[in-house]
Amino acid sequence: MKKRGIIAILGLSMLLGLTACGGKKETTAETESQTAAAETETVKETKKEKAALPEGKMYSYLTGEVVDEAVGSQRPYAIMINNIQEAIPQSGISQAEIMYECLVESGITRLMCEFQDIENLNKVGSIRSARHYYMDLAQDDDAIYTHFGQSIFAEDRINQGYPTISGLSGYSEAVFYRTDDREAPHNVYSSKDGLLAGLEATGISRDYPENYEGRLNFNDEDVVPETGEIAEKVTLPFPINNPWFEYNGEDGLYYRFQYGEPHIDVENNEQVKFKNLIIEFAERSIISEQDHQDYKLIGGGNGLLFTDGKAVKILWERETESDRTAYYYEDGTPVYLNAGKSYIAVVPSELSVDYSAK
């Protein structure tokens, strides 16, 4: 049971105890009302039953879409993607089931793309160095964190035993390669074969833990939010790449733009697009003279969900480091996403995300 539910029930028990001691008789109606309020706090623990699927099929933990068990039963790779202008267009990113974005140093962002189905991932990158808060995000999806280099703060995590596939290792050449069309460090890439070689070299398993359950909830059918404001253009407060999304009513997807133009995957010439956009507002601090960032990702905060051209206010919650981030509506019920790919951004709580009709 989550913290809010526990607090509500404890509060109710204390209230009833104090009433008895004070000699004031509580009516049945009042008691039932308070019990109902406590039960409301625990509604978010319930999950809708999913429809049965044919043998060999399952719902993806990352997208809610029906996939082969051979794909859906595999942990994703969480790959750090270079996102400065010298590194675009990028390769393979349109195949990611989930894309994360956060500010790093000097106002730039890095992307962390999670790939579960890597069968056709022939080239992905360019790949850059680790940041410790991205490692927290990778843990949310039990993803295999993959990077080339690391900040001193991420290095501390790795030295404490956090498993990664690293470009600064004795097996690096089996996993990563450099191209000659860009200058280092913007020319590091990998592929399906390289990622599989990384598993062999590190001994990391792609199998989910026994009895694993995904953290994200999904609707069986597309649901347009009944409440919320129109959000056909969504603009994020990242000052260097200036990313934004435009909603396409024909396919119900948000198309991504940055640096003033469509965000394209050079491998297939497709614009990056998503069914859901999730914003987590989190407290930020600067923890080095080199402008290294830190985000308070343990606890909770406000957020936004964008889907089907609507914006809905949500809350995010992660009680301890061993927990995973969960999303709730403001009434405490769990967020159910529409099936499809998702983009998740951690935005400093002092900043805002703009959205409007086109």
Side-chain angles (χ1 to χ4, degrees):
M1 183 180 295
K2 293 291 184 182
K3 186 183 295 181
R4 294 196 194 100
I6 294 172
I7 291 173
I9 292 173
L10 287 174
L12 175 59
S13 298
M14 292 175 63
L15 175 63
L16 294 176
L18 289 172
T19 300
C21 293
K24 179 182 177 182
K25 187 175 182 180
E26 202 168 32
T27 66
T28 302
E30 288 173 334
T31 304
E32 290 176 349
S33 176
Q34 290 166 344
T35 302
E39 290 175 347
T40 298
E41 291 294 335
T42 65
V43 167
K44 61 185 175 183
E45 296 303 313
T46 63
K47 286 197 173 187
K48 301 174 186 175
E49 290 295 326
K50 301 290 287 184
L53 293 174
E55 186 175 354
K57 298 289 186 179
M58 65 177 290
Y59 292 102
S60 167
Y61 298 127
L62 303 183
T63 68
E65 296 173 319
V66 178
V67 297
D68 291 337
E69 286 183 349
V71 172
S73 62
Q74 298 287 287
R75 296 168 61 200
Y77 293 88
I79 304 178
M80 289 299 296
I81 301 293
N82 197 348
N83 199 40
I84 64 172
Q85 197 153 17
E86 293 87 341
I88 60 174
Q90 296 124 329
S91 294
I93 58 173
S94 64
Q95 296 185 49
E97 283 88 357
I98 298 179
M99 175 187 286
Y100 289 87
E101 185 171 22
C102 307
L103 284 167
V104 292
E105 305 83 60
S106 304
I108 67 172
T109 69
R110 291 252 166 96
L111 307 176
M112 185 179 76
C113 292
E114 291 189 348
F115 301 88
Q116 188 172 56
D117 186 353
I118 64 169
E119 184 60 33
N120 298 310
L121 195 60
N122 299 317
K123 183 179 181 182
V124 58
S126 64
I127 300 174
R128 286 304 308 270
S129 55
R131 296 295 181 271
H132 63 287
Y133 41 91
Y134 278 103
M135 299 166 78
D136 289 330
L137 298 173
Q139 282 183 303
D140 269 344
D141 303 312
D142 200 26
I144 301 166
Y145 193 70
T146 306
H147 61 103
F148 201 103
Q150 57 269 336
S151 70
I152 57 173
F153 305 99
E155 186 174 11
D156 285 345
R157 282 284 182 90
I158 295 167
N159 290 340
Q160 292 167 14
Y162 191 105
T164 73
I165 296 177
S166 171
L168 302 183
S169 59
Y171 57 80
S172 176
E173 291 186 0
V175 180
F176 306 94
Y177 66 92
R178 291 188 183 273
T179 62
D180 57 10
D181 59 339
R182 293 178 182 174
E183 293 185 2
H186 312 303
N187 61 348
V188 175
Y189 294 84
S190 190
S191 63
K192 169 192 171 182
D193 291 341
L195 295 172
L196 293 177
L199 291 186
E200 184 174 353
T202 60
I204 296 173
S205 173
R206 279 206 78 190
D207 294 332
Y208 281 111
E210 189 175 356
N211 300 320
Y212 179 82
E213 292 186 5
R215 71 182 181 98
L216 300 174
N217 305 311
F218 293 96
N219 295 311
D220 285 332
E221 298 179 353
D222 198 88
V223 176
V224 179
E226 294 181 0
T227 60
E229 300 175 89
I230 298 297
E232 296 171 332
K233 183 176 181 181
V234 180
T235 304
L236 279 83
F238 299 152
I240 303 299
N241 61 324
N242 296 303
W244 79 92
F245 296 84
E246 294 185 7
Y247 179 67
N248 184 329
E250 292 186 3
D251 59 13
L253 302 178
Y254 283 92
Y255 284 66
R256 180 176 163 93
F257 297 77
Q258 64 172 7
Y259 296 109
E261 59 187 19
H263 192 172
I264 301 297
D265 182 339
V266 70
E267 296 305 304
N268 55 18
N269 203 35
E270 288 187 9
Q271 187 171 357
V272 181
K273 49 191 177 293
F274 302 93
K275 183 63 183 177
N276 308 293
L277 312 178
I278 299 171
I279 309 298
E280 296 180 29
F281 292 104
E283 294 181 25
R284 172 178 63 164
S285 56
I286 308 301
I287 54 176
S288 79
E289 293 182 357
Q290 293 73 40
D291 196 42
H292 286 105
Q293 315 276 299
D294 188 33
Y295 296 91
K296 187 179 179 182
L297 299 177
I298 307 301
N302 297 319
L304 291 167
L305 166 65
F306 300 95
T307 192
D308 284 335
K310 302 288 285 291
V312 180
K313 293 180 180 179
I314 61 172
L315 305 171
W316 65 268
E317 181 179 80
R318 184 179 181 183
E319 293 185 17
T320 69
E321 290 184 1
S322 60
D323 290 321
R324 298 178 297 170
T325 305
Y327 304 113
Y328 303 103
Y329 296 110
E330 289 185 310
D331 66 359
T333 57
V335 167
Y336 274 76
L337 303 174
N338 287 319
K341 297 181 177 182
S342 293
Y343 164 90
I344 302 175
V346 175
V347 174
S349 53
E350 72 270 18
L351 303 179
S352 61
V353 171
D354 295 328
Y355 54 91
S356 64
K358 287 184 182 177

